């Protein structure tokens, strides 16, 4: 009979980044301040983690469905001499959307946009106002990219191939234009590098702003290192979270068995057969979910 207890190793950096932690704290503070049971709304999903959003809901913080929903709540709150708070998500929103919400009578905006994202929004606006043609590397439908595009007209590219097509198109229209490149904060540095060198082949003087957030880089480096010491890796996070998916693909590239889960209930049975399991988590994964997964692995990961 062989008896061993699974060894669980945590990535050196994982879980909530400063921007997400701040957004959660703002939402919970607003929830604690709310009166007469009126909800606190968030514009879009505050962060990309369903478990964290469930816990916010339990505190009376919920995603805004529509402007008419907000107007109705603001009207009933006004009957009690109260206001309604809308928290702007960590990835930011367009200035038009912010203006539309804050123009509703009785609505107060609590801006939980991550300061790094806000900084990028203002930089993008500055560059375009100063005559640059701006490339933006990232997922077109991602909230951060959608929000940033409200600040500046840009050419969004998701891959190096797309960057080549768009650069060639631009070169035919105006070869002497000043170009700049920015990217989604959660983009993989490898993708950003590939987009950068492709654009620079056509526009060698492109001004490249380093927008990949250090929190993203730290989590990617830590996950890459972790893979060398374990038999399998569990990546915890929302399946719609770009940085969580990035960690998953990075770990996959190591050739180890990798599992992407949102919580301990999703741990597959086969993971308990490994001797050493690494745990990593996206930047929007709550601490308590990481602890729960780790405890679960250690409790059940005993073989006889
Ligand atoms: S990953 Fe970086 S930019 Fe994005 S919310 Fe976190 S701290 Fe802000």
């Amino acid at each position: 009979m062989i008896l061993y207890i699974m060894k669980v190793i945590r990535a050196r950096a994982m879980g909530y980044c400063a921007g997400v932690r701040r957004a959660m704290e703002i939402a919970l503070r607003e929830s604690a301040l709310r009166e007469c049971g009126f909800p606190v709304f968030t514009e879009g999903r505050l962060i990309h983690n369903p478990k964290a959003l469930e816990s916010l809901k339990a505190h009376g913080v919920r995603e805004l469905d529509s402007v008419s929903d907000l107007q109705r709540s603001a009207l009933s709150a006004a009957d009690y001499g109260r206001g309604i708070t809308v928290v702007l998500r960590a990835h930011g929103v367009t200035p038009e959307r912010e203006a539309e919400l804050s123009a509703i009578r009785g609505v107060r905006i609590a801006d939980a946009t991550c300061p790094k994202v806000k900084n990028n929004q203002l930089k993008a606006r500055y560059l375009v106002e100063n005559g640059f043609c701006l490339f933006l590397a990232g997922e077109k439908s991602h909230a951060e990219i959608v929000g940033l595009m409200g600040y500046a007209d840009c050419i969004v590219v998701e891959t190096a191939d797309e960057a080549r097509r768009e650069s060639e198109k631009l070169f035919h229209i105006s070869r002497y234009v000043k170009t700049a490149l920015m990217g989604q904060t959660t983009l993989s540095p490898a993708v950003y590098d590939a987009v950068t060198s492709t654009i620079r082949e056509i526009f060698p003087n492109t001004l490249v702003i380093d927008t990949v957030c250090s929190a993203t880089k730290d989590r990617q480096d830590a996950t890459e290192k972790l893979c060398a010491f374990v038999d399998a890796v569990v990546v915890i996070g929302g399946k719609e979270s770009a940085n969580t998916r990035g960690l998953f693909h990075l770990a996959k590239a190591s050739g180890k068995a990798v599992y992407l889960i949102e919580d301990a209930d999703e741990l597959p049975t086969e993971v308990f057969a490994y001797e050493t399991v690494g745990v990593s988590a996206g930047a929007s994964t709550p601490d308590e979910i990481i602890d729960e997964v780790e405890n679960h692995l250690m409790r059940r990961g005993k073989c006889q």
Side-chain angles (χ1 to χ4, degrees):
M1 184 176 70
I2 303 168
L3 172 67
Y4 69 83
I5 296 176
M6 179 191 284
K7 195 169 169 195
V8 179
I9 305 179
R10 283 181 174 230
R12 183 185 44 80
M14 64 172 173
Y16 275 175
C17 62
V20 165
R21 201 173 287 284
R22 175 176 173 272
M24 289 294 285
E25 280 167 7
I26 290 175
L28 291 172
R29 181 195 69 203
E30 293 301 329
S31 136
L33 293 175
R34 81 200 162 103
E35 292 165 286
C36 306
F38 291 110
V40 168
F41 289 107
T42 63
E43 162 51 21
R45 269 167 295 169
L46 189 69
I47 60 171
H48 280 157
N49 186 282
K51 299 292 160 189
L53 297 180
E54 266 170 35
S55 104
L56 283 177
K57 207 167 173 183
H59 284 89
V61 180
R62 65 179 170 91
E63 189 181 340
L64 180 63
D65 284 333
S66 63
V67 169
S68 52
D69 185 17
L70 178 60
Q71 282 166 331
R72 264 195 310 277
S73 298
L75 265 181
S76 27
D79 289 343
Y80 292 86
R82 310 288 180 207
I84 289 283
T85 301
V86 178
V87 182
L88 303 186
R89 62 184 153 203
H91 293 123
V93 301
T94 63
E96 291 76 19
R97 184 63 171 163
E98 185 173 347
E100 181 188 20
L101 297 175
S102 54
I104 298 170
R105 203 164 149 256
V107 168
R108 193 179 75 80
I109 298 290
D111 191 356
T113 306
C114 171
K116 291 182 186 177
V117 173
K118 177 56 82 185
N119 190 21
N120 287 346
Q121 292 171 338
L122 300 177
K123 257 187 209 155
R125 174 185 276 168
Y126 175 86
L127 288 168
V128 170
E129 281 177 356
N130 284 278
F132 282 87
C133 180
L134 182 62
F135 286 95
L136 185 56
E139 290 174 54
K140 292 182 178 106
S141 57
H142 193 279
E144 183 185 330
I145 297 294
V146 173
L148 207 144
M149 284 177 69
Y151 281 77
D153 264 344
C154 352
I155 302 172
V156 183
V157 292
E158 296 196 346
T159 61
D161 285 346
E162 199 177 1
R164 180 175 304 284
R165 279 197 302 278
E166 291 298 334
S167 304
E168 286 172 351
K169 222 190 283 175
L170 182 64
F171 186 81
H172 287 302
I173 300 168
S174 170
R175 66 176 61 193
Y176 300 113
V177 70
K178 288 194 290 184
T179 51
L181 170 66
M182 295 180 69
Q184 195 173 317
T185 53
T186 47
L187 207 62
S188 128
V191 173
Y192 199 50
D193 289 349
V195 169
T196 300
S197 37
T198 305
I199 294 176
R200 277 192 166 154
E201 278 175 31
I202 296 157
F203 292 103
N205 297 324
T206 300
L207 173 67
V208 178
I209 316 285
D210 182 9
T211 47
V212 179
C213 174
S214 56
T216 307
K217 285 184 196 147
D218 289 349
R219 279 151 189 72
Q220 290 176 347
D221 288 350
T223 301
E224 222 165 8
K225 287 195 180 112
L226 177 73
C227 291
F229 298 101
V230 296
D231 305 316
V233 180
V234 172
V235 177
I236 317 162
K239 296 196 173 99
E240 287 183 32
S241 153
N243 74 85
T244 303
R245 285 199 312 266
L247 296 178
F248 173 74
H249 292 304
L250 203 73
K252 267 263 179 227
S254 73
K256 299 282 164 73
V258 186
Y259 305 94
L260 174 57
I261 59 164
E262 290 191 349
D263 62 16
D265 293 342
E266 292 186 6
L267 277 169
T269 322
E270 66 256 35
V271 78
F272 299 107
Y274 291 101
E275 262 184 68
T276 310
V277 173
V279 173
S280 182
S284 47
T285 309
D287 303 339
E288 50 281 14
I289 295 199
I290 299 172
D291 293 344
E292 192 194 349
V293 170
E294 186 183 36
N295 290 337
H296 219 74
L297 282 168
M298 291 199 293
R299 259 201 323 270
R300 277 197 59 197
K302 294 176 186 173
C303 298
Q304 294 181 42

